């Protein structure tokens, strides 16, 4: 690190950010279910001006507040008014980049007088950037990375408040308020709860610095939106939406979730594989012993407070997804970097420290050998539904590079050379990133995406109505937002009485009774199940495979 100037390091980090987060960002279709779902909400903001009361498929969407959708709509408007894969994902890639900048600045402020100070912040950024879960979420149009931006900004500002440093209550409150506008109360609860845990860890005197003033500013942006929302709800008589958003999607969903059920230990396991390849060093950083706890500085204690509170808080709910704990990752990277910086100053590594590096190197070797096994055809991937040649050339090249890098990582750790080892691990994850996002996903796209079926459907229906002034009515069994996002028609949601029935939706026979000239999108298996109990003559206009083998039909009633 000493051989590079500060400007060279920053330029190198910017280049890595562009490759890890932005290169080929729009090179593959939006992935169901979440990405098309959120993109459609933003699209209807642009087309129908539903900026305050979000809509999806022409109906109010109570699941999430609007901020994330505003960002997609804004970037789409700046790019010409069309929501696509690039504009939908741009806000998460930018959010991830800003998180790196925030945690870099926060790390550098830890002890600016030490000459080795640049090593810890640099390690923090490299670890976070190359952590699999973080760079994966940076390329996915999901809410949680934007939430992570605001929780990270709030927590780093909150640290200054809790340690008696100068801070802006307005700025801290604004970050928490924007977090609420992004994903609800967790935008406030994560920073507020983590700061409370830090106060408990630091002693009674720490409570006098708790930023209560900032809490008042938190509700300024929230109140501004709620006032506009209540006016919109009143004008459109959508009071059920307001109740759903404020209570069902927050309190009820936390204490009595209706999906994503996982065991109580779920997050304590998921963080171990989501934080790869840095998990062995994160485990080393855990303050297992009393001397290691006493050696922690204030920023490390604060980071552990964030990690502990976030894991425990989300564990209390039965509904669990690994992305919920994304706000942990910047601070997990910080404590891991602190441990690696300490290891870099040692002349000899202990057995556990050596083992951590060997595990990272062996994991890289396994990835490399796995690619070479695929190249040799010794193992068939479970992707028989993909009707295109496997890109063996790229997979083989990645395999050779990963194998070579693994040797570099292993020799570096055996020689107690921490900095080259870190560089090798980052290089390995860069290869994984490029292989997955620039090769594998574009290769899968024509077969996993609903775009092909939907565009063919658009042509069939449009041609049938080219001489008619009537508007086609289109329904879909097991509604999926991708078919509306890429389609030209609003979809009537039809119940799947053979899979996950929903009594509030019309069934297939009800749909055709109400719309005799209607068009219906349905899986072939569901249609065949329907025909077993119903005498129904239908005309199949389109039959096409979507995803991992599902055949979708476009049908009308045969007259």
């Amino acid at each position: 690190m000493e051989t590079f100037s500060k400007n060279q390091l920053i330029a190198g980090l910017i280049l890595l950010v562009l490759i890890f987060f932005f290169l080929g960002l729009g090179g593959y279709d939006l992935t169901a279910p979440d990405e098309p779902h959120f993109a459609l909400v933003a699209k209807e903001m642009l087309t129908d001006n539903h900026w305050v009361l979000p809509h999806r498929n022409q109906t109010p969407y109570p699941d999430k507040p609007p901020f994330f959708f505003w960002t997609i709509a804004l970037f789409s408007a700046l790019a010409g008014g069309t929501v696509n894969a690039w504009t939908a994902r741009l806000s998460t890639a930018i959010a991830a980049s800003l998180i790196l900048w925030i945690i870099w600045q926060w790390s550098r402020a830890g002890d600016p007088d030490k000459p080795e100070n640049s090593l810890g912040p640099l390690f923090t950024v490299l670890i976070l950037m190359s952590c699999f879960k973080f760079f994966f979420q940076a390329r996915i149009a999901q809410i949680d990375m934007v939430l992570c931006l605001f929780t990270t900004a709030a927590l780093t500002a909150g640290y200054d408040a809790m340690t008696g440093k100068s801070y802006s209550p307005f700025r801290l409150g604004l970050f928490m308020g924007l977090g609420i506008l992004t994903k609800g109360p967790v935008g406030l609860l994560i920073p507020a709860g983590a700061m409370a845990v830090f106060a408990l860890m630091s002693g009674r005197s720490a409570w006098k610095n708790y930023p209560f003033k900032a809490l008042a500013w938190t509700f300024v942006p929230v109140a501004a939106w709620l006032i506009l929302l209540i006016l919109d709800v009143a004008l459109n008589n959508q009071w059920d939406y307001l109740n759903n958003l404020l209570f069902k999607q927050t309190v009820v969903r936390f204490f009595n979730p209706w999906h994503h059920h996982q065991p109580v230990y779920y997050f304590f396991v998921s963080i171990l594989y989501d934080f790869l390849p840095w998990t062995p060093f994160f485990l080393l950083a855990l303050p297992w012993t009393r001397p290691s706890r006493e050696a922690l500085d204030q920023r490390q204690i604060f980071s552990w407070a964030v990690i502990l509170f976030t894991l425990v808080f989300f564990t209390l709910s039965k509904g669990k997804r690994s992305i919920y704990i994304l706000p942990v990752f910047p601070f997990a990277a910080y404590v891991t970097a602190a441990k690696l910086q300490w290891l870099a100053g040692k002349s000899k590594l202990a057995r556990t420290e050596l083992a951590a590096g060997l595990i990272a190197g062996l994991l890289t070797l396994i990835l490399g050998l796995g690619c070479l096994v695929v190249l040799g055809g010794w193992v068939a991937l479970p992707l028989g539904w993909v009707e295109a040649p496997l890109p063996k050339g790229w997979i083989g090249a990645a395999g050779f590079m990963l194998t070579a890098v693994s040797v570099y990582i292993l020799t570096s750790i055996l020689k107690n050379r921490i900095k080259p080892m870190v560089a090798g691990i980052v290089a390995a994850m860069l290869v994984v990133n490029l292989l997955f996002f620039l090769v594998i996903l574009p290769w899968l796209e024509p077969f996993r995406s609903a775009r092909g079926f939907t565009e063919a459907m658009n042509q069939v229906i449009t041609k049938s109505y080219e001489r008619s002034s009537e508007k086609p009515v289109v329904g879909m069994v097991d509604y999926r937002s991708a078919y509306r996002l890429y389609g030209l028609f609003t979809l009537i949601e039809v119940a799947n009485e053979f899979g996950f029935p929903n009594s509030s939706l019309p069934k297939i026979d009800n749909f055709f009774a109400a719309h005799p000239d209607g068009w219906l999108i349905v899986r072939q298996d569901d249609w065949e199940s329907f025909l077993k109990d119903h005498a129904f003559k239908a005309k199949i206009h389109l039959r096409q495979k979507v995803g991992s083998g599902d055949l979708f039909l476009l049908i009308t009633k045969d007259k």
Side-chain angles (χ1 to χ4, degrees), residues 436-456:
F436 187 72
F437 290 107
L438 269 65
V439 178
I440 300 299
L441 286 184
W443 170 64
L444 293 174
E445 178 192 313
F447 310 99
R448 70 182 183 90
S449 173
R451 181 191 291 273
F453 178 92
T454 309
E455 290 179 346

Side-chain angles (χ1 to χ4, degrees), residues 100-404:
L100 291 180
W101 180 78
I102 291 169
I103 205 69
W104 160 272
Q105 294 293 337
W106 189 69
S107 301
R108 290 182 68 233
D111 197 354
D113 296 327
K114 286 189 176 182
E116 71 272 23
N117 182 63
S118 62
L119 194 58
L122 181 59
F123 279 177
T124 302
V125 171
L126 291 175
I127 290 168
L128 186 57
M129 179 193 307
S130 59
C131 162
F132 175 76
K133 188 67 173 181
F134 193 80
F135 74 66
F136 181 83
Q137 291 300 142
R139 287 176 165 270
I140 298 295
Q142 281 185 321
I143 291 173
D144 296 83
M145 186 60 77
V146 177
L147 172 67
C148 184
L149 168 63
F150 293 128
T151 56
T152 304
L155 284 163
T156 52
Y159 172 81
D160 289 342
M162 294 296 296
T163 52
K165 297 181 176 64
S166 175
Y167 82 103
S168 167
F170 170 75
R171 189 176 66 176
L172 173 54
L174 178 64
F175 291 145
M176 292 190 289
L178 291 175
I180 294 173
L181 286 179
T182 301
K183 206 180 178 181
V186 292
L188 166 64
L189 294 174
I190 291 174
M195 287 187 289
V197 171
F198 177 69
L200 291 173
M201 290 179 170
S202 302
R204 186 178 301 176
S205 60
W207 284 102
K208 67 181 181 181
N209 293 324
Y210 196 89
F212 291 104
K213 292 181 181 179
L215 298 180
W217 288 110
T218 297
F219 298 100
V220 172
V222 178
W225 171 61
L226 283 176
I227 290 170
L228 294 174
L229 177 63
I230 291 171
L231 291 174
D232 198 325
V233 165
L235 289 172
N236 294 283
N237 195 26
Q238 297 284 357
W239 296 105
D240 287 342
Y241 164 85
L242 194 63
N243 177 68
N244 202 342
L245 174 67
L246 297 181
F247 298 103
K248 184 178 179 181
Q249 294 294 333
T250 53
V251 179
V252 175
R253 187 168 186 171
F254 182 85
F255 290 104
N256 189 25
W258 47 90
H259 58 174
H260 303 314
H261 290 178
Q262 297 291 347
V264 67
Y265 56 81
Y266 175 76
F267 288 122
F268 295 92
V269 175
S270 70
I271 192 174
L272 298 181
Y273 55 76
D274 283 340
F275 199 61
L276 286 171
W278 303 102
T279 304
F281 303 103
F282 175 69
L283 293 175
L284 276 182
L286 281 166
W288 300 101
T289 64
R290 183 174 180 178
S292 64
R293 289 191 292 273
E294 292 175 347
L296 296 176
D297 62 27
Q298 288 287 83
R299 289 174 191 269
Q300 291 169 346
I301 295 172
F302 185 80
S303 296
W304 285 115
V306 174
I307 295 167
L308 177 63
F309 175 80
T310 307
L311 290 175
V312 172
F313 173 76
F314 284 111
T315 295
L316 295 176
S317 175
K318 293 180 181 178
K320 299 176 177 69
R321 295 181 70 188
S322 60
I323 54 173
Y324 292 172
I325 61 169
L326 196 63
V328 159
F329 282 66
F331 298 92
Y334 178 79
V335 296
T336 304
K339 186 66 176 182
L340 283 170
Q341 180 176 352
W342 180 75
L343 293 178
K346 292 185 67 176
S347 58
K348 185 177 181 180
L349 300 179
R351 289 182 179 180
T352 54
E353 297 160 354
L354 185 64
L358 292 175
I359 290 171
L362 290 173
L363 288 174
T364 305
L365 179 61
I366 291 170
L367 283 174
L369 294 178
C371 290
L372 295 178
V373 166
V374 172
L375 173 64
W378 296 305
V379 173
L381 295 176
L383 297 171
W385 48 274
V386 180
E387 299 173 359
L390 187 69
K392 288 187 175 182
W394 290 111
I395 293 174
F400 284 116
M401 285 188 283
L402 287 170
T403 303

Side-chain angles (χ1 to χ4, degrees), residues 22-88:
F22 292 92
L23 184 63
L25 188 64
Y28 43 93
D29 273 347
L30 297 170
T31 302
D34 288 344
E35 285 194 299
H37 197 80
F38 297 148
L40 180 59
V41 176
K43 179 181 179 181
E44 295 192 12
M45 284 183 170
L46 289 171
T47 57
D48 302 323
N49 292 316
H50 294 307
W51 295 95
V52 177
L53 179 61
H55 280 59
R56 185 214 65 180
N57 194 35
Q58 304 299 315
T59 58
Y61 178 71
D63 290 23
K64 298 292 185 293
F67 186 86
F68 179 62
F69 312 120
W70 288 343
T71 64
I72 296 177
L74 173 62
F75 290 128
S76 300
L78 294 175
T82 301
V83 178
N84 54 43
W86 169 261
T87 60

Side-chain angles (χ1 to χ4, degrees), residues 387-444:
E387 299 173 359
L390 187 69
K392 288 187 175 182
W394 290 111
I395 293 174
F400 284 116
M401 285 188 283
L402 287 170
T403 303
V405 171
S406 71
V407 174
Y408 181 75
I409 295 170
L410 291 169
T411 54
S412 296
I413 192 65
L414 289 172
K415 294 179 180 179
N416 292 356
R417 300 174 63 201
I418 297 299
K419 289 182 281 187
M421 181 203 69
V422 170
I425 295 174
V426 173
M429 296 311 292
L430 185 62
V431 173
V432 172
N433 179 293
L434 294 175
L435 176 64
F436 187 72
F437 290 107
L438 269 65
V439 178
I440 300 299
L441 286 184
W443 170 64
L444 293 174

